[in-house]
Amino acid sequence: MSDLKYIVSELNQTPFNKNYNLISFDSLSAEDLLQVITDVFAEIDENNKIDVRTEEPEQTTVRLLTMLRILKYNPGSDMNASLFRQGLVQGDKQIIHPILEWALRNLEDLKKRAYLAQYLVKIDVPIEIMGDADVATIYEQYEQLMEEFKKVHKESESIKQNSSSTAELRADIESIDKERDIVIKKIERMLRKIENVSNKEALLEASHELRVERERKKELAKQKQTEGAALHQTQQKLARLSQQLREMRQASLGVSPEELV
């Protein structure tokens, strides 16, 4: 049984901004319920920004079923496929409510899934057409692009998830800068101290301390350079992957079903 309280609560919030209560939501007509699920799907994929009143019932059904297939919705092993389709067509709340709860609970993941589906759901080409050499060649290129996109996207996601390391590098560099300033001030104080020293032993001791601090300064400078290089490499890699994703998206969009045929 669906959690109507959760569904209503989520629909009343941004970005849906509905104004339902449990009674009004449970009393929605079939058409209104189909509009609600369409609105939720539109948040996942903007191609669903449609007024169902302007759409043929069969078109609505095909669109919703296509989205559910792309999003990998599982109605349950005990659900008859024919009854599920019929319930969807009729806007049956026993079918729609579970879909709504599932979609609202997994909204962000489903957005990502819908985005990836633009590049990872293969175009269906009839076997007889695939027998054409030119079509087969283009389709092979299409599949290669798809595989390359998977690799680049995976690497890009990995870098985004580890973006905290970039922030840590920046923090380390700032810390090194502060410590360097402290060391420089120490050196300056020692230099002033040496100027007033007449005792040889005191002078040697001060010189030793100065040498130690200078070595420390070198170490800090080297550490800063290393951290800076690592940060620069990370930023360059992220920029390169972003560019590759944009190029692959354009390349993928450039292969249409008509070109394959």
Side-chain angles (χ1 to χ4, degrees), residues 92-245:
D92 185 346
K93 61 184 179 182
Q94 299 301 323
I95 299 296
I96 303 295
H97 286 179
I99 297 175
L100 282 173
E101 182 180 354
W102 170 78
L104 291 169
R105 289 189 184 278
N106 300 281
L107 200 60
E108 292 306 315
D109 287 340
L110 295 180
K111 285 181 182 179
K112 184 182 295 185
R113 191 173 296 175
Y115 165 75
L116 293 176
Q118 299 177 61
Y119 312 104
L120 301 182
V121 175
K122 291 186 177 181
I123 299 171
D124 291 327
V125 179
I127 297 177
E128 58 273 17
I129 296 178
M130 284 294 291
D132 183 279
D134 291 336
V135 173
T137 299
I138 294 175
Y139 198 82
E140 184 178 354
Q141 294 173 353
Y142 170 70
E143 289 183 318
Q144 289 174 351
L145 275 174
M146 190 175 291
E147 290 303 315
E148 189 175 349
F149 174 83
K150 289 180 184 178
K151 294 177 182 178
V152 174
H153 178 76
K154 184 177 180 180
E155 192 171 354
S156 176
E157 286 297 304
S158 176
I159 288 181
K160 288 178 182 178
Q161 290 173 3
N162 294 324
S163 60
S164 58
S165 62
T166 302
E168 290 173 2
L169 285 174
R170 287 198 179 97
D172 287 344
I173 291 175
E174 291 177 1
S175 177
I176 290 171
D177 278 336
K178 291 178 181 178
E179 195 167 349
R180 181 200 59 188
D181 292 339
I182 293 173
V183 170
I184 290 174
K185 289 179 180 179
K186 285 184 178 180
I187 292 174
E188 291 174 348
R189 285 200 302 270
M190 288 181 181
L191 288 173
R192 289 195 297 270
K193 182 179 179 181
I194 291 173
E195 291 175 356
N196 300 322
V197 170
S198 57
N199 185 287
K200 183 178 179 180
E201 291 182 359
L203 178 60
L204 290 174
E205 180 65 24
S207 297
H208 174 70
E209 292 180 5
L210 177 61
R211 185 168 60 253
V212 171
E213 291 297 339
R214 282 177 175 169
E215 288 298 323
R216 175 61 178 161
K217 180 183 177 183
K218 287 181 181 179
E219 290 177 4
L220 288 172
K222 185 177 180 180
Q223 185 180 353
K224 179 182 178 182
Q225 185 178 9
T226 301
E227 298 281 5
L231 175 61
H232 182 66
Q233 289 177 357
T234 300
Q235 291 173 331
Q236 281 189 325
K237 190 172 185 180
L238 182 58
R240 185 176 68 254
L241 287 172
S242 297
Q243 179 63 27
Q244 287 179 359
L245 281 174

Side-chain angles (χ1 to χ4, degrees), residues 31 33-42 45-71 85 88:
E31 185 178 65
L33 204 51
L34 288 172
Q35 185 63 59
V36 171
I37 194 172
T38 291
D39 292 342
V40 172
F41 280 174
D45 180 352
E46 61 181 11
N47 290 323
N48 287 276
K49 288 184 177 179
I50 294 170
D51 185 340
V52 296
R53 293 173 300 181
T54 65
E55 192 176 39
E56 291 295 328
E58 184 61 26
Q59 289 179 317
T60 301
T61 304
V62 171
R63 176 174 56 79
L64 294 179
L65 285 173
T66 300
M67 275 295 292
L68 291 171
R69 177 178 61 84
I70 289 173
L71 300 178
R85 179 187 176 91
L88 194 63

